[in-house]
Amino acid sequence: MGSYYDVDAILTDAQKVPCTMELTVPGLGYLEGNMSGDIKQGSKVELPLWLGEMLALSQSLNTSSLVTLDPPSALAPRVLNALKADPRTVDLRALAPHFYNLGARILELFEEEEMIEILSDSFKSRAGVIADQAHNPRGALGEGADFMRGLDENERQLFRAAHDSAKAVRTWMTDVKK
Amino acid sequence: MALPLPPGLTPPEVAFLCEMELVTVIPRQRLEGLALLGGPIAALNPPHRTSLPLWLALLLKRQRRANILPPPWLSPHSLTAILDHETENEEGFSPPPRLPPQPSNNTLPISPPFLPSSTAEAAPDALPYHWLELGEMLLGAASDDFEDPDNVRKLLRGLREVRMAKLRKGVDVLDAGGGVQMNGVGGMEVSEGRAFIGGVVDGLRKIAASREQQRRDKEREERENGYPGTGDYEDDEMDMQ
């Protein structure tokens, strides 16, 4: 998925996901702020996605995996319900800077047909608003400011692309008039 | 990343391509024929109309050696009709001009820059591929050759707004099976919409990548087994869909 040097992919992988330890590991207590102790079986820790994924999927040494992954809070049912109700009012950036990328990575690990539908639909309806904002520079500063602040990284790139191409055409048109 | 330009053509590049389109001029001075790589250019004899590439027409216009005859679709009357058609039909764009009849066996077919889509003989009821760029360039350099340049400019702007809004709305119906009718979209509009539409399609594809992978795995499995749906395991998989 993506290039090795893709900064957005790296940042996506660095986002924390909740994991439940399946084993008691001596000396790893600092993961939950317990400097000297052991980490107990069943305790919950926040691990970066890349680490959690590796620990959850590695089953080479013994039969049970080290941790189990839980869906991150950014993709909790509460958020998905809010997206279903009105995608435009959700502040995706506060949930996760790379919301859609995180969603895509989680969907690789969990099978959730409904989540695909919800994410696609909200991406589409938010893209419509993004296009309107990109063609209306005043709106991006005025009433649309809250929405613009809530865009995730993918949507920001989309906004920039739409804005730049509209600007290029406008520049060309003023050049022609001279 | 090496090239700082976005994929596709930039507006100046689209305009450059548009300058190959033929337009009709009424020369005011005599000019001998020119043998250019892009094709020979007929001699100019003052009262007679000739078809010239746009770039040469604009050059002659600036030197006041010729007047440009705007194509019939660039008149307020035609543009109003097309604009009405665009606003009434929510779906789709106004159709592009019809192609000339198939040439007979001993003549060569004519391809776009040499089609008479912007000359005085062009169809009055259809926008050609380069409608926006051509209209803007003619209005910029030869507005005194129009009967009502301000009105034409206003109508062009209106057309552009209506059609861009349609392109934007088309994004909502994009899906695995859905598509957008883009027949009749002009060159400049493609250049303007490409980055956004491409970005949306890319994003949607990324979100649905896992489903796509699942589907592909299933198809491969079916191919290897020779026939679909063997065993209980695959029946469970079907339920997930």
Side-chain angles (χ1 to χ4, degrees):
Chain A
M1 151 128 198
S3 147
Y4 182 78
Y5 295 106
D6 183 359
V7 176
D8 289 320
I10 295 172
L11 289 173
T12 307
D13 272 1
Q15 293 189 53
K16 297 280 176 71
V17 288
C19 302
T20 316
M21 298 300 291
E22 294 289 325
L23 294 171
T24 305
V25 186
L28 265 188
Y30 61 85
L31 283 182
E32 30 171 29
N34 178 5
M35 269 316 175
S36 53
D38 305 342
I39 193 161
K40 297 279 188 318
Q41 181 177 1
S43 55
K44 289 197 181 283
V45 281
E46 295 260 317
L47 293 179
L49 180 58
W50 60 269
L51 182 60
E53 184 188 4
M54 257 163 46
L55 294 180
L57 296 182
S58 69
Q59 296 179 334
S60 53
L61 293 178
N62 39 25
T63 46
S64 73
S65 55
L66 198 56
V67 300
T68 48
L69 272 179
D70 304 316
S73 57
L75 292 163
R78 191 174 53 80
V79 176
L80 295 183
N81 282 334
L83 281 178
K84 234 192 293 183
D86 187 3
R88 288 147 203 239
T89 54
V90 183
D91 185 350
L92 292 186
R93 200 168 186 80
L95 293 167
H98 293 80
F99 182 80
Y100 292 109
N101 286 352
L102 181 68
R105 295 278 285 128
I106 292 297
L107 284 168
E108 282 175 20
L109 301 168
F110 300 93
E111 275 189 18
E112 304 234 16
E113 278 295 313
E114 203 196 350
M115 202 194 283
I116 299 183
E117 292 298 324
I118 295 173
L119 289 186
S120 312
D121 285 344
S122 29
F123 186 66
K124 269 190 282 188
S125 61
R126 287 168 69 97
V129 187
I130 290 171
D132 290 342
Q133 301 280 4
H135 288 261
N136 172 12
R138 211 158 36 99
L141 300 172
E143 71 263 42
D146 278 345
F147 175 75
M148 296 304 300
R149 221 172 287 133
L151 295 186
D152 101 316
E153 204 55 42
N154 265 7
E155 291 173 329
R156 285 203 173 180
Q157 279 166 15
L158 199 60
F159 174 80
R160 190 164 306 146
H163 181 77
D164 283 355
S165 49
K167 197 172 119 196
V169 172
R170 260 202 311 275
T171 324
W172 175 77
M173 279 190 175
T174 42
D175 281 355
V176 162
K177 293 215 182 71
K178 279 179 207 158
Chain B
M1 271 327 221
L3 198 65
L5 289 175
L9 297 177
T10 60
E13 286 165 346
V14 177
F16 180 77
L17 292 179
C18 168
E19 291 186 358
M20 280 298 286
E21 293 286 321
L22 295 178
V23 291
T24 303
V25 298
I26 307 167
R28 296 158 108 185
Q29 277 184 10
R30 195 173 277 277
L31 182 74
E32 278 179 34
L34 300 166
L36 300 182
L37 278 180
I41 282 162
L44 301 184
N45 273 328
H48 297 290
R49 298 172 175 188
T50 329
S51 289
L52 292 184
L54 179 62
W55 60 269
L56 185 59
L58 290 177
L59 192 76
L60 294 177
K61 172 72 195 172
R62 284 202 194 99
Q63 296 175 348
R64 299 177 192 286
R65 292 167 195 247
N67 282 10
I68 299 177
L69 213 61
W73 51 264
L74 208 50
S75 67
H77 179 72
S78 305
L79 286 178
T80 317
I82 298 173
L83 186 57
D84 284 347
H85 178 265
E86 290 275 358
T87 35
E88 276 163 27
N89 288 36
E90 294 279 318
E91 308 279 319
F93 300 84
S94 62
R98 272 183 302 281
L99 289 172
Q102 200 65 29
S104 53
N105 286 335
N106 47 9
T107 51
L108 289 170
I110 316 175
S111 65
F114 305 107
L115 283 177
S117 61
S118 305
T119 57
E121 291 86 49
D125 56 349
L127 294 177
Y129 184 66
H130 284 299
W131 66 275
L132 182 58
E133 329 50 311
L134 195 109
E136 288 286 327
M137 278 196 265
L138 285 188
L139 282 172
S143 58
D144 51 333
D145 289 338
F146 284 84
E147 277 173 28
D148 192 357
D150 290 333
N151 208 356
V152 171
R153 196 170 284 137
K154 206 178 74 203
L155 286 165
L156 273 186
R157 186 116 327 148
L159 262 178
R160 174 160 177 261
E161 291 290 322
V162 174
R163 289 162 66 102
M164 280 316 285
K166 274 188 198 173
L167 263 188
R168 232 174 291 156
K169 222 183 290 163
V171 164
D172 293 340
V173 297
L174 275 179
D175 211 336
V180 194
Q181 268 279 352
M182 284 184 61
N183 298 10
V185 177
M188 197 56 90
E189 292 164 298
V190 171
S191 133
E192 188 171 1
R194 179 194 298 269
F196 175 70
I197 295 173
V200 173
V201 173
D202 247 10
L204 286 178
R205 207 205 65 230
K206 225 187 266 178
I207 292 170
S210 63
R211 179 161 57 183
E212 182 71 9
Q213 186 63 37
Q214 219 176 321
R215 196 176 56 82
R216 220 173 280 159
D217 286 350
K218 213 176 74 194
E219 269 174 14
R220 201 185 50 223
E221 220 165 274
E222 282 173 7
R223 238 195 340 269
E224 279 168 7
N225 292 345
Y227 47 91
T230 49
D232 296 331
Y233 174 68
E234 276 187 3
D235 284 342
D236 289 347
E237 288 276 303
M238 299 291 272
D239 290 341
M240 297 299 290
Q241 299 282 317

